[in-house]
Amino acid sequence: MIFTETKLKGAFIIDVNRIEDERGFFGRSYCQKEFEAHGLNSNLVQTNVSYNKIKGTLRGMHMQREPFAETKLVRCTTGAIFDVIVDLRPDSETYKEWIGVELNAESYRMLYVPEGFAHGFITLEDNTAVTYQVTEFYTAPAEQAYRWDDPAFSIEWPFEPVLVSAKDQAHLPFEAKISA
């Protein structure tokens, strides 16, 4: 696997190192030893799937609070997404900064999202599926979410979403939550 650290410390783009021949290719998409060698959390305990019918579906920005904060390994298995993470670690040099990465089924590219980051995406194609491997079990009382269009983050989405759930539309702005 090829690990490329992003400008957000601890967040990595992970590409499959393809060994190709006339049949196609072979490569590893997860290896506990390689994750640990890069100082990454390898304790993946749950896998979730998100299926999205239409291009322009937006999900986010989601995370879990301590003590159930989770690391995510995100991969698009069908279609394509613009995947976004925001660093919400108060002591981080990149606090409230974000990155966006295109993940699609053809590239097998993954995004490693450390604890303390909010995560969301917009689908770039109809019939898009996303798989998340996470290091904590889902814990409803620890769920935290922020608006996808929050001015505190100024995320530059590739286009306006077509579909955002009522739940995701109802999230309070970041500044309102930290002052509460």
Side-chain angles (χ1 to χ4, degrees):
M1 296 182 318
I2 303 164
F3 293 79
T4 305
E5 191 165 18
T6 70
K7 72 174 189 171
L8 305 178
K9 184 124 178 92
F12 285 79
I13 294 169
I14 303 172
D15 289 297
V16 173
N17 187 15
R18 298 177 185 209
I19 301 167
E20 298 189 41
D21 64 19
E22 66 278 356
R23 299 169 293 176
F25 76 88
F26 176 85
R28 221 180 341 255
S29 63
Y30 177 76
C31 175
Q32 181 181 19
K33 289 180 182 179
E34 288 186 56
F35 270 58
E36 290 171 355
H38 285 86
L40 306 182
N41 188 341
S42 64
N43 186 35
L44 301 173
V45 299
Q46 184 173 302
T47 301
N48 306 315
V49 176
S50 167
Y51 173 75
N52 307 274
K53 294 179 186 178
I54 61 170
K55 175 182 177 178
T57 299
L58 190 136
R59 295 179 184 257
M61 300 296 298
H62 306 141
M63 63 187 300
Q64 285 194 170
R65 292 185 302 273
E66 292 290 347
F68 303 102
E70 62 188 357
T71 295
K72 295 178 181 176
L73 181 61
V74 182
R75 189 175 131 211
C76 183
T77 54
T78 305
I81 63 172
F82 182 71
D83 205 30
V84 174
I85 58 175
V86 178
D87 185 350
L88 294 179
R89 303 170 296 180
D91 297 333
S92 173
E93 294 176 6
T94 55
Y95 181 59
K96 295 197 300 186
E97 291 185 27
W98 66 275
I99 62 163
V101 177
E102 182 174 334
L103 303 178
N104 60 61
E106 289 77 35
S107 73
Y108 295 88
R109 174 169 275 179
M110 297 168 281
L111 183 61
Y112 178 88
V113 184
E115 292 179 12
F117 282 69
H119 171 257
F121 64 84
I122 189 167
T123 59
L124 302 176
E125 298 179 10
D126 291 342
N127 301 312
T128 293
V130 181
T131 299
Y132 311 70
Q133 292 176 278
V134 296
T135 59
E136 287 292 331
F137 297 104
Y138 173 71
T139 306
E143 185 177 351
Q144 181 71 55
Y146 302 97
R147 290 192 52 86
W148 63 273
D149 59 353
D150 196 316
F153 311 136
S154 298
I155 298 168
E156 296 175 20
W157 297 96
F159 52 85
E160 285 292 313
V162 173
L163 179 61
V164 181
S165 72
K167 183 178 178 180
D168 280 350
Q169 290 180 43
H171 298 310
L172 293 175
F174 179 76
E175 298 300 333
K177 289 186 179 184
I178 62 169
S179 62

